[in-house]
């Protein structure tokens, strides 16, 4: 195993690690420190195994690349960081919450957070971005914020993420040129904001609907439709049709399981979306009225009153807090 010296300039708080080797046990010991491999099982795929790792990071952000040329199966878990990963080569299947996902070359996803998952890597090479969870939550303004794991970004989200990766990676990885604390924070915030914009967020309603019967599945389809189309001009008929229910059936199901009307549900989802946009917006480029209109609130006064009743502050206060 070869460890390269830390060459960061004085005053730069980034760390730099680069390691490589052929010893599988050393590789497992190293990767387990960051990814909590549990009961790893390794099968060689070539006469001599190879692994390498390079990473530059601070307490908020780490950019990493890794390669492990073996067949590896293990359970894993990361509790304090959101990890965005995309595969350069090889193949990988991750199983989380009973569903298996095959990583696609070049397509980034957020790995499961604070939950165990199974991985099966085969001659894998990965790029990874680690973001401190507390830092991301401070950017969002929500203490319980989390991403929906293993969901690929939309086309627009992909462009947003790739734009930030291209714009800042070379600067961050160049440890021979120092960065000030403010520059480090700006780059970390750019990555966090891009991730928030690009990747689906964990839907709280998933845990609100318990049960596995046909009615529960229809209700989940209704909720999924609302979350995906909350910016659109939708109402009870559209939601009911998406769920395969009559409007009256939708009303009864929502009342029975969530104690809400379709209007309550739609308004709640729109308010959450508006708040997310406000707390991460640039106040010099965004107005409360713009955000309200984008989320289907046509009357600014009523929007402000409803927003304050829900969140305990005016929309303008959420925007200023950024």
């Amino acid at each position: 195993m070869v460890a390269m010296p830390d060459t960061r300039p004085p005053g730069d708080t980034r760390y730099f690690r680069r390691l490589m080797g052929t010893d599988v046990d050393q590789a497992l010991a190293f990767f387990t420190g960051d990814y909590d491999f549990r009961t790893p099982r390794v099968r060689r795929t070539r006469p001599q195994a190879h692994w390498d790792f390079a990473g530059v990071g601070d307490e908020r952000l780490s950019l990493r690349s890794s390669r492990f040329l073996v067949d590896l199966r293990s359970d894993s878990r990361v509790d304090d960081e959101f990890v965005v990963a995309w595969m350069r080569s090889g193949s990988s299947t991750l199983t989380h919450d009973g569903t298996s996902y095959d990583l696609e070359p070049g397509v980034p996803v957020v790995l499961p957070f604070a939950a165990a998952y199974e991985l099966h890597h085969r001659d894998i090479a990965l790029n990874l971005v680690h973001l401190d969870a507390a830092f991301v939550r401070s950017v969002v303004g929500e203490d319980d914020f989390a991403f929906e794991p293993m969901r690929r970004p939309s086309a627009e989200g992909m462009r947003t993420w790739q734009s930030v990766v291209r714009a800042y990676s070379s600067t961050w990885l160049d440890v021979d040129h120092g960065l000030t604390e403010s520059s480090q924070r700006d780059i970390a915030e750019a990555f966090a904001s891009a991730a928030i914009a690009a990747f689906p967020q964990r839907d709280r309603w998933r845990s609100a609907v318990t049960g596995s019967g046909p009615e529960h599945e229809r209700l989940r389809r209704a909720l999924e439709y609302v979350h995906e189309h909350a910016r659109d001009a939708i109402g009870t008929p559209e939601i009911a049709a998406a769920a395969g229910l009559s409007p009256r059936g939708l009303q009864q199901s929502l009342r029975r399981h969530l104690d809400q009307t379709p209007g309550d549900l739609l308004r709640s989802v729109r308010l959450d979306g508006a708040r997310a946009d406000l707390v991460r917006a640039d106040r010099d480029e965004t107005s409360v009225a713009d955000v309200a209109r984008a989320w289907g609130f046509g009357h600014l006064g009523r929007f402000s009153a409803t927003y304050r009743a829900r969140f305990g502050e005016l929309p303008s206060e959420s925007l200023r807090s950024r």
Side-chain angles (χ1 to χ4, degrees):
M1 180 170 65
V2 178
M4 304 299 290
D6 184 350
T7 58
R8 69 178 186 269
D12 192 325
T13 62
R14 290 172 297 164
Y15 65 79
F16 169 50
R17 290 187 294 178
R18 185 175 180 184
L19 306 102
M20 62 189 71
T22 58
D23 189 299
V24 170
D25 290 335
Q26 286 182 326
L28 291 175
F30 174 75
F31 287 120
T32 294
D34 284 336
Y35 303 103
D36 193 17
F37 287 167
R38 305 175 180 188
T39 63
R41 303 170 300 284
V42 174
R43 182 177 61 83
R44 293 181 182 272
T45 58
R46 59 196 66 216
Q48 186 174 54
H50 174 83
W51 68 279
D52 57 65
F53 172 90
V56 177
D58 64 8
E59 70 277 8
R60 292 178 291 255
L61 169 69
S62 176
L63 305 187
R64 309 178 182 190
S65 64
S66 67
R67 189 166 45 151
F68 199 5
L69 301 184
V70 296
D71 185 294
L72 169 66
R73 296 175 185 265
S74 181
D75 293 338
S76 183
R77 179 177 176 128
V78 178
D79 286 313
D80 55 356
E81 295 177 315
F82 296 125
V83 180
V84 181
W86 60 102
M87 188 170 63
R88 301 195 311 272
S89 62
S91 63
S92 177
T93 301
L94 277 64
T95 302
H96 168 65
D97 199 22
T99 303
S100 294
Y101 306 86
D102 292 327
L103 295 187
E104 302 174 55
V107 178
V109 295
V110 181
L111 302 185
F113 171 74
Y117 61 94
E118 301 173 16
L119 61 84
H120 182 194
H121 293 332
R122 295 167 294 278
D123 293 334
I124 191 73
L126 289 170
N127 287 339
L128 306 109
V129 175
H130 286 232
L131 288 160
D132 178 71
F135 174 66
V136 174
R137 287 169 168 173
S138 73
V139 173
V140 177
E142 297 179 8
D143 292 339
D144 59 350
F145 173 87
F147 294 99
E148 185 70 19
M150 305 307 299
R151 295 274 296 275
R152 62 181 298 161
S154 65
E156 182 178 354
M158 179 75 85
R159 288 192 292 270
T160 298
W161 179 252
Q162 291 177 335
S163 175
V164 167
V165 170
R166 286 193 297 267
Y168 295 106
S169 291
S170 59
T171 300
W172 185 265
L173 295 171
D174 185 1
V175 292
D176 290 329
H177 294 83
L179 288 175
T180 65
E181 164 60 20
S182 61
S183 295
Q184 286 178 228
R185 183 179 180 88
D186 288 345
I187 292 174
E189 190 165 306
F191 272 93
S193 297
I196 294 163
F199 298 103
Q201 300 169 18
R202 180 178 296 168
D203 297 317
R204 296 182 181 92
W205 57 264
R206 290 184 183 275
S207 59
V209 180
T210 58
S212 56
E215 182 182 10
H216 299 93
E217 292 305 314
R218 286 192 288 267
L219 183 54
R220 290 190 184 96
R221 288 201 298 270
L223 297 177
E224 182 110 19
Y225 179 82
V226 170
H227 280 82
E228 289 181 356
H229 297 276
R231 291 178 181 265
D232 302 333
I234 62 172
T236 299
E238 291 79 12
I239 301 169
L245 291 165
S246 68
R248 180 170 176 79
L250 173 67
Q251 292 169 344
Q252 292 174 335
S253 186
L254 279 171
R255 181 62 72 187
R256 181 161 44 246
H257 293 282
L258 299 179
D259 195 26
Q260 287 185 315
T261 67
D264 293 336
L265 170 65
L266 183 56
R267 182 166 52 252
S268 176
V269 172
R270 286 173 169 171
L271 284 170
D272 285 343
R275 178 170 174 79
D277 283 357
L278 286 167
V279 298
R280 65 174 178 249
D282 185 335
R283 61 179 177 268
D284 294 326
E285 300 178 0
T286 305
S287 71
V288 171
D290 290 339
V291 173
R293 282 194 295 269
W295 285 97
F297 296 99
H299 192 287
L300 187 58
R302 283 198 291 271
F303 167 69
S304 296
T306 305
Y307 186 98
R308 185 174 187 176
R310 172 74 179 275
F311 300 113
E313 64 182 15
L314 291 169
S316 56
E317 293 172 315
S318 297
L319 183 60
R320 285 202 301 270
S321 70
R322 180 76 169 86

